[in-house]
Each structure stands twice: as structure tokens, then as C-alpha cells.
Amino acid sequence: MSFSSFPQAPLSHALTPYGWDEAWEAEFTPYAEQGLLPGRVVRVDRGQCDVMTADGLVRADTAFVTPHDPLRVICTGDWAAVEAAGNPRYVKAYLPRRTAFVRSTSSQRSEGQILAANVDHAIIAVSLAVELDLGRIERFLALAWESGAQPLVVLTKADLVPDPATLGHLVQDVETTAPGVQVLTVSSVTGEGTDVLAAVVGDGTSVLLGISGAGKSTLANALLGAEVMEVQEARAVDGKGRHTTTTRNLLALPAGGVLIDTPGLRGVGLWDAEAGVGQVFSEIEEYAARCRFHDCAHEAEPGCAVLAAVESGELPERRLESYRKLLRENQRIVAKTDARLRAEIRRDWRIKSAVGRSNYAAKRGGRV
């Protein structure tokens, strides 16, 4: 990809298309006094990054901002303080992030990985060429809500579902899975929905998320009005694509707004996303507020409003199972990084185990 396609502007306003505003300018004041230049990170790779500054695109080394904490490394979307001159130039610092999209890595160390910073809209691309995976959508939504961005689900390749009734049912399924989230159907072939999507992303910074083959790069090209991102066909057998996007790239859109395109995500692990999970399953938490016991686990407790909603058909059982699964996963991740929580969980397990043994003994008439 060539960055020559980035729109240019007078130097005094060069960063405005990339999201620069008065609040960022105020934050940057201490660095300006040091003679550093502000710039937005448009790509990071191998210890260096491309930064859009008022002087144009510069290549800078990130050695000064590479801490041991993987959540504090510089990433696409950051606003950086860059040396005005030098060979090489260095990023000396970056401004505090307004939002951060973080997932858990697939490594045994269960570290967090930051994917994008200072994002306003999280666009979750889902292909209609394959069967909907509602559980995966819920995962993406939990991470998006936790990041502080506003999620948006975009159902791509809508032209492959020509029957309006079938398409309507699919949209309804996703809307049920994503309460409070706008759901759009888009087709790069017919142009359906692209104008609505362009209006949404025209204000602020948006990040494109999804698995390989979801149509993210095609969406990016449609919004850019040019074939900037490389596109490859998804496999017909399962709808999966190859990783045509290998780095996270920040692009200024011609109609306004900024877009961060990301590689397809094989794994979507939660990272301290309890609030995000609660937002995705807001209807379950509303039922839970009416449970008899404030610490109800919604398993077999008397007076459980959540279980009652499942029995009455108001709440799909799949939703409750997915909610439990994501909460358990999130608790495991948090426990690995929080010693106090690990101790609390072990103590809770011991208490429950003791109660279980006691109940079992009582049922056997005191015989162990």
C-alpha cells in the first residue's frame, strides 16, 4: 500500500483530517514547548512507525516508547510526539489515549494486545456468505464496548442473500444479539448501505474488525473510493479468506473521518471486559436485577428471574449460555493478572467444595 494516497492539506490544518482538535492541541502543549512535533501514528512495524505530521509522513523509531507492558507500546491511532529532525527520528512520547481496543493474546502468558487507539466507532464486519456465528459477534461486541468506542455491526456481501425475507431474519438475529447497536447490510457489488456507512464513519475515527474473509478490505476500498487495500477472494468451501491486510493501517477518508483497517483476527480473546460483556447482554443483567438473591449465579437458585425468562421463552437459552461462557473466560483472564482475585477465587472454590462435601455427607446420613 502506498501512503501517497493520503489527502494533503495546508500545513496549518494538515492534521485536521486525521482527527486533530483543540483538546489534543491542549494535551500536546508540554511537548510543543520541547520543540517536538505532533503526529498521528498510521502504521507500526518492527520497532518503527509511520507518523503523519504537519511536515508530511515521517518514519520514526519507537525505542523510547517500548515498555515491558504490551498495553503501553505505541500503536496505530496514537497521537505521538516526534522529534522535529534527526536521522533516525524518534517518537519521544504519546498522548493519553481516549479509547483503546484490547484483546487477549493466544499465548500461554495471557497478555493483553492493543489493536487500535483513540477510536470512536468499532465496525464489526460479518460476512453473509457463511452461516452467522452469533457467539463470535458477541465477543467482538464485548471488546468494542469495553474499549469505549461505539460498536456498529456491518453485514457484508448482502447481495448473496437475494431473498428479502431471509435477509430480514438474519438482520433480526443479529439485532437480538447486539442490543443497542446499529446493524447495517452492505454490498460492495450493488453499493447497498455504503452511503449510510460512510455517513457513520465520516465523524471521528473508526476501526474495521472481523475475521479473514469478512470483507474488511473491500469495505475500506468502498469508503476510500479507490483500490487502496489489496483484496483476495474468500474460499468457497468455508468463506474464509487469506490475510491480505498484514498491518493495521490508518487512512484519512476523502469525505471526512479516519479509518483503521486491521488484519483478520483468528482469535478474539477477552481482556478484562466484564463491563463490555454486561453491555452486550444488557437484557440478562436487567433480569438479574429482579432475582431474589443479589449474588444469584443463575444456575438453580430459587427466585431466579433469569432462569424464569429462559423458561418462559423471553430469553433464548443460547444467550444465557454465551453470557456464562464469556464471564467465565473473562474471570480466568483477570485472575491470571490479579493475585488478589486469584486468592478470592481459590477461597470461593474451597468454600463451595466444603459445602458440597457437607451436603453429600448429609444425604448419606453422615457417612462419607
Side-chain angles (χ1 to χ4, degrees), residues 59-113:
R59 186 75 167 166
D61 195 294
T62 65
F64 285 99
V65 285
T66 308
H68 294 296
D69 184 351
L71 296 181
R72 297 177 62 193
V73 300
I74 198 162
C75 75
T76 303
D78 273 325
W79 283 101
V82 186
E83 290 179 324
N87 187 20
R89 289 193 186 187
Y90 286 93
V91 174
K92 306 297 287 196
Y94 61 84
L95 299 184
R97 294 160 176 159
R98 293 178 182 174
T99 62
F101 195 96
V102 179
R103 68 164 177 173
S104 174
T105 65
S106 57
S107 70
Q108 293 301 314
R109 291 176 297 180
S110 298
E111 294 178 337
Q113 178 190 25

Side-chain angles (χ1 to χ4, degrees), residues 30-368:
Y31 300 105
E33 293 172 351
Q34 299 173 35
L36 298 173
L37 295 177
R40 192 151 198 200
V41 178
V42 300
R43 184 172 63 181
V44 179
D45 62 278
R46 300 178 183 177
Q48 293 188 315
C49 61
D50 294 322
V51 184
M52 182 57 69
T53 72
D55 292 339
L57 191 70
V58 302
R59 186 75 167 166
D61 195 294
T62 65
F64 285 99
V65 285
T66 308
H68 294 296
D69 184 351
L71 296 181
R72 297 177 62 193
V73 300
I74 198 162
C75 75
T76 303
D78 273 325
W79 283 101
V82 186
E83 290 179 324
N87 187 20
R89 289 193 186 187
Y90 286 93
V91 174
K92 306 297 287 196
Y94 61 84
L95 299 184
R97 294 160 176 159
R98 293 178 182 174
T99 62
F101 195 96
V102 179
R103 68 164 177 173
S104 174
T105 65
S106 57
S107 70
Q108 293 301 314
R109 291 176 297 180
S110 298
E111 294 178 337
Q113 178 190 25
I114 183 164
L115 299 179
N118 302 313
V119 171
D120 301 294
H121 309 285
I123 304 170
I124 302 164
V126 180
S127 173
L128 290 174
V130 295
E131 185 176 355
L132 288 176
D133 186 336
L134 299 179
R136 181 183 288 121
I137 294 173
E138 287 163 345
R139 283 178 171 276
F140 273 113
L141 287 169
L143 292 176
W145 281 122
E146 191 69 32
S147 76
Q150 172 66 44
L152 169 68
V153 178
V154 175
L155 302 178
T156 66
K157 308 179 185 182
D159 54 286
L160 298 181
V161 187
D163 178 48
T166 301
L167 184 60
H169 287 308
L170 293 172
V171 171
Q172 187 175 26
D173 286 344
V174 177
E175 288 177 338
T176 301
T177 300
V181 176
Q182 185 177 7
V183 179
L184 294 178
T185 56
V186 173
S187 169
S188 60
V189 174
T190 66
E192 174 191 348
T194 55
D195 55 339
V196 179
L197 181 58
V200 172
V201 302
D203 180 24
T205 298
S206 303
V207 62
L208 267 174
L209 304 161
I211 65 171
S212 296
K216 299 186 301 301
S217 294
T218 302
L219 270 182
N221 287 336
L223 293 170
L224 288 162
E227 297 296 315
V228 175
M229 307 305 296
E230 183 183 355
V231 177
Q232 291 183 355
E233 291 294 328
R235 297 195 304 241
V237 63
D238 56 9
K240 292 182 179 179
R242 287 175 286 179
H243 292 283
T244 53
T245 302
T246 57
T247 59
R248 291 178 284 278
N249 303 292
L250 184 146
L251 307 156
L253 299 173
V258 177
L259 183 69
I260 299 176
D261 191 23
T262 65
L265 299 177
R266 291 189 180 93
V268 194
L270 300 186
W271 180 261
D272 197 6
E274 183 176 355
V277 173
Q279 188 76 35
V280 176
F281 299 92
S282 56
E283 81 278 27
I284 294 180
E285 302 221 327
E286 289 175 5
Y287 286 124
R290 302 200 292 270
C291 289
R292 181 183 301 175
F293 304 108
H294 75 277
D295 59 348
C296 183
H298 322 307
E299 296 288 350
E301 295 87 347
C304 176
V306 174
L307 294 179
V310 172
E311 292 174 6
S312 69
E314 296 176 58
L315 176 66
E317 188 172 1
R318 188 206 68 79
R319 286 281 283 172
L320 179 56
E321 287 301 318
S322 185
Y323 176 67
R324 289 168 173 164
K325 180 180 180 181
L326 293 184
L327 281 182
R328 287 195 300 268
E329 176 183 327
N330 190 70
Q331 187 180 49
R332 286 196 300 270
I333 291 294
V334 174
K336 287 182 179 180
T337 58
D338 189 326
R340 185 175 63 180
L341 181 59
R342 287 199 301 272
E344 290 176 355
I345 290 174
R346 284 197 297 269
R347 185 168 61 251
D348 186 49
W349 284 345
R350 286 196 296 269
I351 292 172
K352 288 182 178 179
S353 179
V355 171
R357 288 195 301 270
S358 176
N359 290 340
Y360 180 70
K363 288 181 180 180
R364 301 215 13 162
R367 298 190 304 274
V368 179

